Amino acid sequence: MQKANEIRDHISAIEQTRKITGAMEMISSNRMRQVMSHIEHNREYFAYIRRTMKEILTSTKDISHPFLSARERQKCTYVVISGDKGFCGAHNATVLNFALNRIRANPNSELITLGNTASSFFNSHGMNPTKSMSGIVQDPTLSNAREVVRKLTGMYENMETDEIRVIYTSFYGETKRQPVEARLLPVVVHDYADIRDAQELEGIIYHPSAQTVFDFMVPQFIFGLFFGIMVQAYASEHFSRMTAMRSATTNAKDMIDKLNIQYNLARQSAITNELSEIADAAEILRGEEDEEYY
């Protein structure tokens, strides 16, 4: 059995760990709540953009856009989003292994990583990313999303790639907290098949023209799609970290409770031993006094 002072030091170390994991749980909980409003607002904006685009496509003839033109797939670019940090359970490992399998199934592909863990993971597997962007996943703002989208659309316009797909962790629906793959470019017409509330408008006048309005909305559609992906990945990461830290805090408390029991037993054992030694010493002294008397 450990000595009482050793158990006391062990309890102190675990108590410090519990404070850290508790603080990390609170931070992740607050950050997840903050980003939830962005998710809801973006979902409303994104739904409105998609509905309007479908109304223009169904009610106006001869509408086209370079991003709607599907190409013969020669080269695919995968954008993999993971966290910059760990301590979030299996979140990073799950999405990165999912991405690894998808990329290996498409040999003629290019890799772009958002997140330090993604860069380290693929480098360790001998797959060096073409571009690595760190810090963006921890700050899913509109400006950061716009910067990434500008680079990706530039690659597509310059014929550097024929398709762009994003792999991330979903935060909604049946795929919640699971890795998913979404096509960012090109925008395919059947992407609007699930829109039920779009109306076939007749006689509506778009200013300055339907094509001009559509040309403005397509980049906004791509931007809204990618921003939604970023905030979902961010929320999923912090949800996983909050859950992992809550579990760690609970486990630390259980360990402290068990160690307190061991500490009390060790103290009782030490006190018992000390009392026994005192009693034995007293008995010896009493025996020596009796010998002197006789």
Side-chain angles (χ1 to χ4, degrees):
M1 179 182 291
Q2 288 182 311
K3 295 181 179 179
N5 59 342
E6 294 176 347
I7 298 175
R8 187 171 59 249
D9 292 340
H10 196 182
I11 291 173
S12 178
I14 296 176
E15 186 65 41
Q16 293 298 321
T17 301
R18 186 176 70 166
K19 290 179 181 179
I20 294 172
T21 56
M24 293 178 68
E25 177 190 349
M26 291 181 60
I27 291 171
S28 291
S29 176
N30 289 333
R31 290 181 176 177
M32 190 181 68
R33 282 198 297 267
Q34 289 172 1
V35 81
M36 287 299 295
S37 61
H38 296 313
I39 294 177
E40 293 300 331
H41 295 159
N42 185 72
R43 281 164 63 88
E44 295 176 6
Y45 170 80
F46 187 63
Y48 181 80
I49 287 285
R50 293 180 73 231
R51 184 174 68 249
T52 305
M53 289 175 67
K54 184 174 183 179
E55 289 172 351
I56 294 176
L57 286 171
T58 55
S59 62
T60 309
K61 297 180 179 180
D62 301 327
I63 293 294
S64 63
H65 193 279
F67 291 164
L68 271 70
S69 302
R71 304 171 185 169
E72 182 179 355
R73 182 172 172 178
Q74 300 293 332
K75 185 177 182 180
C76 180
T77 298
Y78 285 94
V79 181
V80 181
I81 302 178
S82 71
D84 277 338
K85 304 174 183 178
F87 297 102
C88 51
H91 171 81
N92 289 324
T94 302
V95 69
L96 292 175
N97 284 311
F98 176 85
L100 181 64
N101 293 331
R102 290 302 180 98
I103 295 171
R104 282 178 172 173
N106 295 277
N108 190 22
S109 60
E110 183 180 27
L111 174 63
I112 296 176
T113 58
L114 272 66
N116 293 331
T117 56
S119 301
S120 301
F121 176 83
F122 286 107
N123 284 326
S124 66
H125 284 78
M127 302 170 63
N128 297 325
T130 305
K131 296 179 182 178
S132 297
M133 305 178 190
S134 60
I136 291 179
V137 293
Q138 292 300 320
D139 189 20
T141 58
L142 293 171
S143 59
N144 281 337
R146 189 174 289 109
E147 177 185 353
V148 177
V149 169
R150 188 181 298 114
K151 293 179 180 179
L152 296 176
T153 54
M155 291 172 58
Y156 189 80
E157 289 176 321
N158 296 330
M159 307 297 289
E160 297 176 21
T161 185
D162 301 306
E163 188 174 25
I164 298 176
R165 290 181 170 269
V166 184
I167 296 176
Y168 66 102
T169 305
S170 173
F171 194 71
Y172 273 110
E174 298 178 356
T175 59
K176 184 175 182 179
R177 298 185 63 192
Q178 296 179 17
V180 294
E181 178 182 336
R183 185 183 62 256
L184 190 67
L185 284 169
V187 179
V188 183
V189 175
H190 66 68
D191 289 342
Y192 305 97
D194 61 325
I195 303 176
R196 305 300 181 188
D197 55 347
Q199 303 177 13
E200 293 188 6
L201 304 176
E202 296 182 0
I204 189 169
I205 300 175
Y206 294 96
H207 179 78
S209 67
Q211 182 65 60
T212 303
V213 174
F214 195 76
D215 289 343
F216 174 79
M217 297 186 72
V218 171
Q220 296 300 315
F221 167 81
I222 297 170
F223 169 66
L225 174 60
F226 188 78
F227 179 69
I229 287 173
M230 282 183 61
V231 293
Q232 282 197 61
Y234 181 84
S236 297
E237 177 189 353
H238 282 286
F239 183 84
S240 297
R241 182 171 291 112
M242 180 186 68
T243 304
M245 292 301 100
R246 180 180 299 164
S247 177
T249 303
T250 302
N251 291 338
K253 182 180 181 301
D254 293 340
M255 289 182 67
I256 290 172
D257 292 340
K258 292 179 181 179
L259 287 172
N260 278 326
I261 295 174
Q262 294 180 18
Y263 176 70
N264 291 331
L265 291 174
R267 286 188 62 195
Q268 291 175 6
S269 177
I271 293 171
T272 301
N273 290 335
E274 290 175 359
L275 291 174
S276 297
E277 291 174 358
I278 293 171
D280 292 341
E283 189 67 27
I284 293 172
L285 291 173
R286 188 179 299 111
E288 291 178 351
E289 290 177 354
D290 291 341
E291 289 177 0
E292 290 178 359
Y293 178 77
Y294 289 109

